[in-house]
Amino acid sequence: MKAKVYLGRTILAILVTMVSTSMALGHHSVAASFDMSEETIVSGTVKSIEWINPHARVFLDVINAENEFEVWTAWLSGANMLLRRGWGSSDLPIGEPITVNGFRARNGSNEMYGGKIRLLDGRTLFSGVPSDER
Amino acid sequence: MANYRLTMLIGQLHRAVTSGIPLVVVGLFSIQPVYAQSSSLGGFDDSVCPDNAYAVFHQCALEAAKTADPPRTLGGRPDFSGNWLRRAWAFEDFEAHPKNPDDFGGPSAIVDPVDGKYPLQLWAIAVNQKNIDAYIHQNAACFLSGPAGTMYMTSRFTFLQDDQHIVMIGEQLNPHPSRIIPVDGRPHIGDISLWNGDSRGHWDGDTLVIESPNHNAKYFLDQRGRFITDEAHIVERMTWIDSNTIHYSATFDDANVFTQPFTIAFAFRRNTIDEGEIWEEACFETNGDPMKLYRSTGKKVFSGISGAEARELKAAWEASQ
C-alpha cells in the first residue's frame, strides 16, 4: 500500500515507511467515500474538534509539502466508541501537534478517515470499534 | 491572523520534531492492529458453545439447546433479559472474506447452505454489482437495516422482556434499532411498509420465532450490496443456550432473488466487559456533512427493489441471454 504524506518536510522521511492502518469501522463501509487503497498521513496541529456521534471530527492546521497552509478534517468513530476505547475530548487539546493516519476522501478534498492519531507525548489513539465489541 | 497562526503552527511543528516525535514514530510501527483475526473469532470459555465461528457455533448451539435450562418469565417462557453483545461480522459480508482496512474479515455467516455461499440467482448478480457501484449503505444515511440486519449491524443490546413483549434496544444508530416485538399472539399490523417490518413473535418450544412481513427492503443485507425484495420472508429464531449465550439465526426466503432460502447464525454473548449501559448515539437522517462526502462520490442511498421490479429485471436479463 502506498502512502501519501502531508506534513512538514522535516519529518517526511520518517513517515514514508508507515505500515497500513487498520480501520474496520463497523456498520457501514468507509471505502464508499474514502479511498482505502492508499494511506494518507497528515501532521498538523489541532484546530478544533467535534466530539459527537455518529462520527467525531478533528480539524487540523497543516503546512503541506509546498509550504502552503491547509485545514484538514479527520473523521473518526463516534464519541461513544472513542470513549469506550479510552479517548476523551481533552486528549486532543487545541494546538496539540498530532499525526493522523487514515484514508483520503474520494472527492479529493482535504478530508480523511482517521484510523490512528499519534500525539506529541507518544500516545497513540486508535479510532474504530473497540476490540471487545467486534 | 493567518500569519500569526502559520507562525504558531511552524513553531508547534518544530517543537514536535525537536521533542521526540521520531522516536515515537519508530515505536508506533511496532504496534499491531487490535483486530487480528483468530480462527475462533474470539471464543468464550464461560459458554457451553465457546467458539464464535458461525458454523461451529451453530452446530454446537443446536445440540446444547436440547438440554438447556433457561431462566423463565412469570409466564414460563425463556427469559432473554440482560445486556448482550452480538458476535458477528455478517454486516460486512455474509460470505467468508479477508481482513483488510475496511473489514474485520471472517468466515461465512451462512450456515445453510453448508457451503456458506450466498444463493443468488444469475440475473441478480449483475444487480448486486450495480448496487455496489451506484449506492451507499443505508446506515451511512442513518437508515435502518431491516429486522435481521438490525441484529447484526449493532454491537450492544439490552433485551427486556415480559410475557407480552420482548424489547431489543441497540446502541449504534439509536434509537432506531430498538424493536418492540409483541409475543402475545396478536396479529400483524398488516397493510403497512416499515424498515424493520411488522414483527410478531411466537414460541416454538423454548425458541422465540420472530416473523416480520411488511418490511420495505430498502436496505442492503451487507456491505456488498446484497439485497432482498419486499416480498422476502424473514424468520428469526432465538434460543437460550446458557446464562451467557443466545443462539440467533435468521432465514431469508425470497424466490425473486435466491435459488433457495439461506440462513445465517451467530451468538449473542452476555456483556461482561462493563455495566452494559446503552448510551445515546444519535444518528440523524442524512447526517449533514458525512452525506456531502457520500454524495460527492455520485452515489445515492439505496431505494430498494420491489418484488415486481425484480421480476421485470429478471425477465429483461433472461431476454438478453
Side-chain angles (χ1 to χ4, degrees):
Chain A
M1 179 181 291
K2 295 184 293 184
K4 281 189 176 176
V5 183
Y6 298 81
L7 71 172
R9 289 171 177 161
T10 39
I11 52 178
L12 175 66
I14 297 164
L15 292 178
V16 291
T17 57
M18 180 62 75
V19 296
S20 64
T21 300
S22 180
M23 298 281 285
L25 286 157
H27 54 87
H28 65 79
S29 171
V30 173
S33 52
F34 297 90
D35 181 2
M36 305 190 80
S37 67
E38 186 174 76
E39 187 174 42
T40 293
I41 304 168
V42 175
S43 283
T45 57
V46 176
K47 175 184 175 69
S48 61
I49 61 171
E50 287 183 353
W51 209 251
I52 59 175
N53 292 310
H55 293 289
R57 286 191 291 187
V58 179
F59 300 90
L60 296 98
D61 288 329
V62 173
I63 300 173
N64 67 21
E66 285 75 41
N67 278 333
E68 297 166 335
F69 177 76
E70 295 177 339
V71 175
W72 278 73
T73 303
W75 292 85
L76 308 173
S77 298
N80 286 9
M81 287 289 185
L82 297 171
L83 187 56
R84 288 202 170 100
R85 293 209 66 136
W87 289 54
S89 59
S90 61
D91 285 319
L92 295 173
I94 306 303
E96 177 81 3
I98 62 173
T99 296
V100 184
N101 290 57
F103 301 96
R104 190 171 188 175
R106 291 187 181 278
N107 65 13
S109 63
N110 290 344
E111 298 182 73
M112 62 189 296
Y113 214 107
K116 189 162 53 183
I117 295 181
R118 189 178 67 259
L119 286 78
L120 189 60
D121 63 8
R123 285 180 295 155
T124 299
L125 306 176
F126 289 90
S127 182
V129 179
S131 58
D132 51 14
E133 292 194 31
R134 291 180 296 171
Chain B
M1 184 64 178
N3 285 340
Y4 168 75
R5 181 181 293 160
L6 196 61
T7 302
M8 185 175 69
L9 190 63
I10 292 170
Q12 287 165 333
L13 284 174
H14 175 74
R15 183 161 59 94
V17 170
T18 57
S19 60
I21 271 202
L23 293 176
V24 172
V25 169
V26 171
L28 173 67
F29 293 153
S30 66
I31 296 173
Q32 296 300 308
V34 296
Y35 305 125
Q37 190 74 67
S38 72
S39 59
S40 68
L41 304 181
F44 282 72
D45 294 336
D46 52 357
S47 169
V48 296
C49 295
D51 202 320
N52 283 330
Y54 308 102
V56 176
F57 171 76
H58 179 62
Q59 288 304 319
C60 177
L62 290 174
E63 283 301 311
K66 297 174 183 175
T67 56
D69 183 19
R72 295 186 183 275
T73 64
L74 291 175
R77 299 300 188 183
D79 186 356
F80 298 110
S81 298
N83 300 320
W84 302 90
L85 293 168
R86 67 101 176 89
R87 297 287 171 176
W89 289 257
F91 58 84
E92 294 172 349
D93 188 337
F94 276 168
E95 295 186 348
H97 58 291
K99 176 178 168 57
N100 64 41
D102 202 26
D103 291 329
F104 291 118
S108 177
I110 298 172
V111 297
D112 181 22
V114 294
D115 65 1
K117 298 295 186 184
Y118 188 69
L120 202 60
Q121 294 179 20
L122 290 177
W123 75 271
I125 293 174
V127 174
N128 197 64
Q129 184 58 50
K130 179 189 173 188
N131 287 345
I132 296 171
D133 295 339
Y135 301 109
I136 61 173
H137 191 278
Q138 66 277 356
N139 284 171
C142 297
F143 295 138
L144 300 188
S145 296
T150 292
M151 306 303 285
Y152 57 76
M153 293 288 179
T154 303
S155 56
R156 286 171 170 260
F157 281 92
T158 293
F159 295 159
L160 306 171
Q161 187 178 349
D162 63 19
D163 286 313
Q164 286 74 47
H165 306 86
I166 181 166
V167 178
M168 303 170 175
I169 306 168
E171 178 162 303
Q172 284 183 297
L173 305 171
N174 75 21
H176 295 324
S178 300
R179 304 176 70 189
I180 304 172
I181 303 172
V183 294
D184 56 0
R186 74 183 70 177
H188 290 281
I189 299 170
D191 186 15
I192 196 168
S193 178
L194 303 171
W195 284 89
N196 273 357
D198 175 6
S199 296
R200 295 288 186 265
H202 65 271
W203 294 96
D204 177 10
D206 279 346
T207 294
L208 175 63
V209 181
I210 304 167
E211 299 192 48
S212 302
N214 307 314
H215 57 87
N216 65 21
K218 293 182 177 180
Y219 43 82
F220 291 165
L221 296 178
D222 61 15
Q223 293 175 7
R224 301 299 185 268
R226 294 182 170 123
F227 66 102
I228 53 177
T229 72
D230 55 353
E231 296 173 2
H233 187 210
I234 304 169
V235 179
E236 301 165 85
R237 300 174 68 87
M238 294 175 62
T239 308
W240 192 96
I241 299 302
D242 60 38
S243 59
N244 293 312
T245 313
I246 294 172
H247 177 212
Y248 174 88
S249 70
T251 298
F252 301 84
D253 187 2
D254 189 346
N256 294 310
V257 183
F258 308 125
T259 59
Q260 65 176 90
F262 73 96
T263 299
I264 62 169
F266 57 87
F268 278 92
R269 303 294 191 182
R270 190 173 297 280
N271 182 357
T272 57
I273 61 173
D274 57 31
E275 76 291 346
E277 184 178 359
I278 300 294
W279 298 343
E280 174 192 300
E281 188 178 314
C283 186
F284 298 101
E285 283 80 356
T286 65
N287 50 125
D289 289 346
M291 286 307 296
K292 292 177 185 173
L293 271 180
Y294 291 120
R295 292 196 173 106
S296 72
T297 66
K299 296 185 178 183
K300 298 179 180 177
V301 178
F302 184 58
S303 57
I305 298 171
S306 69
E309 290 169 334
R311 287 185 286 278
E312 290 177 6
L313 290 167
K314 181 177 182 178
W317 180 85
E318 288 174 342
S320 70
Q321 299 303 300

